[in-house]
Amino acid sequence: MDAWVRFSAQSQARERLCRAAQYACCLLGHALQTRGASPELRRQVQQLEAHLSLGRKLLRLGNSADALESAKRAVHLSDVVLRFCITVSHLNRALYFACDNVLWAGKAGLAPLVDQEKWAQRSFRYYLFALIMNLSRDAYEIRLLMEQESSACVRRPKGSAGGILGSGEAGGETGVSAPAGNLPHLALQLRLRVLLLARVLRSHPPLLLDVVKNTCDLFIPLDKLGLWRCGPGVVGLCGLISSILSILTLLCPWLRLKP
């Protein structure tokens, strides 16, 4: 098991580079089709995208073991919500990678009887569940940080910007409710919440990157499963953005959200 985990870690950077190139080809193919490029050029780009996808599947052969090991570690987290979200996310990732391995065996000719469409749908379902758990975890961490920031703002002097923000938040939480239909007051409360959210995300770059990356990734399974047709242009752009952010977390480990 440890050998597989080490192998997966070594191939992770190459897989993410291939992923960025794959979705760049997807975006390029959409741009060529929109601009009316020659069918031969579009066919070459599509072939390159297919080759990169197959290469990524080969590089991900050990990722199921890595995801299971991560799930085993997440079980011991003290926070119940984080323990649930992270463990379920890793388990779904393990199942997604297992389906991906079956797809690779089918495309490589090792298992020619594999139903590619059925296994692809299964893999994207597990991928979607994992992303939902990741975004749930992000929302929970944002909520905790907003509560901490709001409490800190209340304790600051009222003359400072943070004190003004905190007094506005406190006013909304101590039961001083606005009369019905007082839209300016509701707009002020909404503005204060948005400012607080922006401050939290600006102060925690790993959380901000994780939210953006998971949100971009979410469009991919939604499109592949037919739940929300985005088109190859949106899928290619979102996949490229999330791939670049993933590479950034490898180059700068402090940007990776922990645990």
Side-chain angles (χ1 to χ4, degrees):
M1 183 71 73
D2 292 338
W4 273 115
V5 172
R6 286 195 297 270
F7 171 78
S8 177
Q10 292 170 1
S11 62
Q12 197 175 61
R14 292 189 292 272
E15 190 274 332
R16 294 187 182 183
L17 286 173
C18 287
R19 187 179 192 268
Q22 176 191 344
Y23 283 109
C25 288
C26 180
L27 183 60
L28 177 61
H30 175 71
L32 291 175
Q33 183 179 6
T34 303
R35 294 177 180 271
S38 64
E40 178 64 22
L41 179 59
R42 296 204 305 266
R43 185 181 63 83
Q44 291 178 353
V45 172
Q46 289 174 354
Q47 286 180 346
L48 178 58
E49 181 185 352
H51 292 323
L52 289 169
S53 177
L54 187 61
R56 285 182 58 215
K57 287 177 169 51
L58 177 61
L59 293 173
R60 291 201 299 255
L61 285 179
N63 285 14
S64 289
D66 188 22
L68 288 175
E69 285 294 314
S70 299
K72 286 168 60 177
R73 291 192 297 268
V75 168
H76 303 289
L77 293 174
S78 57
D79 191 293
V80 177
V81 177
L82 288 180
R83 182 167 68 238
F84 174 78
C85 290
I86 297 176
T87 302
V88 174
S89 173
H90 284 311
L91 290 176
N92 277 283
R93 285 179 63 245
L95 292 170
Y96 161 69
F97 289 132
C99 294
D100 200 59
N101 295 339
V102 175
L103 285 170
W104 173 81
K107 291 184 177 181
L110 300 177
L113 299 180
V114 167
D115 188 338
Q116 297 280 335
E117 182 64 25
K118 182 178 72 174
W119 283 96
Q121 292 292 305
R122 286 178 179 172
S123 68
F124 282 118
R125 277 197 294 268
Y126 291 128
Y127 186 32
L128 178 60
F129 293 152
L131 290 174
I132 290 174
M133 287 294 101
N134 290 343
L135 288 171
S136 300
R137 176 256 182 102
D138 291 339
Y140 175 71
E141 296 221 26
I142 288 174
R143 175 178 171 273
L144 291 181
L145 291 171
M146 287 181 68
E147 290 177 353
Q148 294 174 7
E149 183 70 20
S150 180
S151 300
C153 287
V154 171
R155 293 192 294 269
R156 291 172 189 166
K158 290 189 176 181
S160 63
I164 295 173
L165 177 61
S167 62
E169 289 291 326
E173 294 175 357
T174 53
V176 183
S177 58
N182 195 344
L183 293 180
H185 179 82
L186 295 177
L188 176 61
Q189 291 298 315
L190 178 61
R191 178 172 177 271
L192 291 174
R193 298 296 292 181
V194 171
L195 289 175
L196 185 61
L197 175 61
R199 174 180 294 183
V200 165
L201 293 177
R202 187 172 62 247
S203 303
H204 299 82
L207 181 57
L208 175 60
L209 259 66
D210 199 66
V211 170
V212 175
K213 182 173 71 68
N214 289 325
T215 303
C216 289
D217 281 336
L218 191 64
F219 289 97
I220 299 172
L222 288 177
D223 181 79
K224 299 299 183 181
L225 293 171
L227 300 176
W228 186 13
R229 293 294 184 184
C230 311
V234 175
V235 170
L237 178 61
C238 291
L240 181 59
I241 292 174
S242 66
S243 300
I244 293 173
L245 294 179
S246 297
I247 294 172
L248 188 61
T249 58
L250 285 179
L251 297 176
C252 306
W254 64 274
L255 288 174
R256 181 178 298 178
L257 187 63
K258 297 181 177 68

